[in-house]
Amino acid sequence: MRPLEIGVIGAGMIGRKHIERILAHPDFELAGIADPERDVVAARYPGERVVADHRALLAEARPDAVIIASPNRAHAETGIDCARSGVHILVEKPVADTVEAAARLVEESRRAGIKTLVGHHRRHHRQVQVLRGLLGAGEIGRLVGVSVVWAVYKPEAYFEAGPWRREPGGGPILINLIHEIDLLRYLVGEIAAVGAMASNSQRGFAVEDTAAALLEFAEGALATVVASDSAVSPWSVEQGTGEVPDFPFSGESSYRFFGSLGALEFPDLVRWSQPGGPPSWNRAVLAQRLPAPTLDPYVAQLDHFRDVIRGEADSLQSVEDGTRTLIATLAVSEAAGTGARIDLRPRYEALAAGSAGFAG
Ligand SMILES: NC(=O)c1ccc[n+]([C@@H]2O[C@H](COP(=O)([O-])OP(=O)(O)OC[C@H]3O[C@@H](n4cnc5c(N)ncnc54)[C@H](O)[C@@H]3O)[C@@H](O)[C@H]2O)c1
């Protein structure tokens, strides 16, 4: 089978990770790169086609697919241009900067019939696939609740990279907690309602440094998620999986799933159960560690995108599904500001009704 021609739009921090993996992948050929910093990018990738504008890439290279790794505000309009050119897209998270823009992308992708995948790469971890299978098979009975922690310390240099990182929208809710929301939606099911509190008491920036969210799932289970970028701890999925060398491996679990018959920890996949009798707080709860190695989720994501493009797999996350993750995450931010409990179901219904649902 011929390799797929794929372009990369935006060659920044994550775009370069994708380029590296495309260049090493036997089933893809790099069709070219689009980035307004054309000369800088061309110097980094001698011999590759580098253009300043994604429209030139689409017209000149005519790729089968692209990865959109530009800043959030460019995702939707770039994706729409790709859809109109019949080019399949892997769009980095968040799918767009607003739900309205994401809804337009959903509509245009559907109209064009292109394949779409959102870059919530954690869905591709082996541990996640194993865990999802266990939860789906009722391994711990009926899911009662989930407790999630994402607590790391972002160094000063992180905030010096751009003033937007100190402003509303640049903090742990929209940058980091979105991954937890997406993973929980994938593992547990749709989030029906959210509540939240946020604090900036550690760093004193306009944006939050710490947030606590309450989630209610459609099936009735509840979750608490604490996310902070101003705490030193071993508890984050990045450290627990060791998915990238930038975040040193801790091997510690940061998710705990509680069911009517037992519990599961993630990502180190420890199963807790009470064999040989009905559940009771008077009986010992025993642990068993389940094997599931960490793999490079960005390579697994690329493998999956290849299968989706070739019609051999259904997308693990369409742009519509990515928009639901965005809806839930923005609602956490809103709930932290207003103190309200927000029912998400009317928002999902508006999305299903098309972008007009938001305008009206
Ligand atoms: N899935 C992940 O693990 C992950 C990790 C980091 C970032 N991201 C997402 O990837 C995207 C990029 O983040 P980053 O950290 O690489 O940012 P970055 O600032 O390092 O890089 C962005 C790049 O896009 C280029 N660019 C700007 N406007 C453009 C346009 N209109 N068309 C093409 N290129 C354009 C910039 O010149 C820059 O090279 C964001 O949406 C971010 O949320 C995902």
Side-chain angles (χ1 to χ4, degrees):
M1 212 176 281
R2 78 169 175 90
L4 296 163
E5 294 279 330
I6 189 165
V8 174
I9 298 174
M13 200 260 284
I14 194 73
R16 292 195 295 273
K17 277 190 188 159
H18 289 305
I19 291 168
E20 200 182 298
R21 284 156 180 81
I22 288 167
L23 291 172
H25 202 295
D27 298 325
F28 285 100
E29 261 171 24
L30 185 64
I33 304 167
D35 194 300
E37 299 292 333
R38 202 206 81 88
D39 294 347
V40 178
V41 175
R44 188 184 283 268
Y45 299 104
E48 300 295 345
R49 181 201 307 266
V50 183
V51 295
D53 190 292
H54 70 273
R55 283 162 292 213
L57 179 69
L58 296 175
E60 290 169 24
R62 301 192 157 275
D64 298 301
V66 297
I67 297 181
I68 301 173
S70 49
N72 304 349
R73 63 179 183 283
H75 290 184
E77 292 314 317
T78 304
I80 289 170
D81 288 338
C82 294
R84 289 178 179 165
S85 302
V87 172
H88 308 299
I89 57 172
L90 192 176
V91 56
E92 264 306 344
K93 50 63 56 173
V95 62
D97 56 343
T98 66
V99 176
E100 291 75 7
R104 283 202 308 280
L105 176 60
V106 169
E107 218 167 72
E108 293 274 354
S109 305
R110 208 180 275 149
R111 187 173 301 145
I114 59 161
K115 307 279 175 59
T116 66
L117 179 65
V118 181
H120 281 289
H121 62 277
R122 284 190 191 163
R123 291 187 178 214
H124 302 273
H125 271 301
R126 180 78 47 77
Q127 293 98 321
V128 169
Q129 295 298 331
V130 170
L131 177 60
R132 189 164 188 257
L134 292 169
L135 290 169
E139 190 71 28
I140 59 169
R142 209 177 135 80
L143 187 69
V144 174
V146 193
S147 158
V148 178
V149 175
W150 185 88
V152 301
Y153 198 94
K154 290 178 183 167
E156 282 316 304
Y158 177 89
F159 298 97
E160 284 155 15
W164 63 272
R165 290 181 162 165
R166 297 163 184 253
E167 302 298 328
I173 295 180
L174 285 168
I175 304 292
N176 310 106
L177 187 101
I178 189 169
H179 282 298
E180 318 308 333
I181 299 257
D182 186 68
L183 195 52
L184 286 167
R185 287 190 56 246
Y186 184 56
L187 290 167
V188 176
E190 202 51 277
I191 298 169
V194 303
M197 285 187 185
S199 162
N200 64 353
S201 67
Q202 296 301 316
R203 296 189 188 273
F205 297 156
V207 70
E208 77 281 348
D209 49 56
T210 305
L214 293 172
L215 313 177
E216 181 189 327
F217 294 92
E219 298 291 316
L222 300 178
T224 62
V225 188
V226 174
S228 178
D229 65 17
S230 52
V232 173
S233 97
W235 300 304
S236 70
V237 173
E238 291 90 329
Q239 292 158 292
T241 58
E243 63 183 12
V244 284
D246 317 359
F247 304 106
F249 178 65
S250 74
E252 288 287 320
S253 276
S254 50
Y255 282 54
R256 288 180 170 74
F257 295 81
F258 324 111
S260 54
L261 298 175
L264 280 161
E265 293 179 29
F266 168 80
D268 71 348
L269 289 191
V270 176
R271 173 173 50 192
W272 294 89
S273 61
Q274 284 184 324
S280 163
W281 66 355
N282 298 123
R283 296 201 305 116
V285 187
L286 306 179
Q288 181 192 16
R289 191 172 294 271
L290 307 170
T294 291
L295 40 69
D296 182 333
Y298 299 102
V299 173
Q301 179 174 259
L302 206 49
D303 290 344
H304 174 66
F305 192 38
R306 169 202 60 206
D307 295 346
V308 170
I309 294 168
R310 289 183 173 163
E312 293 166 4
D314 292 331
S315 173
L316 270 190
Q317 186 167 38
S318 66
V319 286
E320 173 159 13
D321 190 84
T323 305
R324 287 168 166 254
T325 290
L326 181 64
I327 286 173
T329 310
L330 289 170
V332 167
S333 203
E334 184 184 329
T338 62
R341 172 188 182 279
I342 300 178
D343 186 345
L344 301 181
R345 283 165 293 200
R347 300 180 186 200
Y348 299 145
E349 282 161 20
L351 174 66
S355 56
F358 291 98

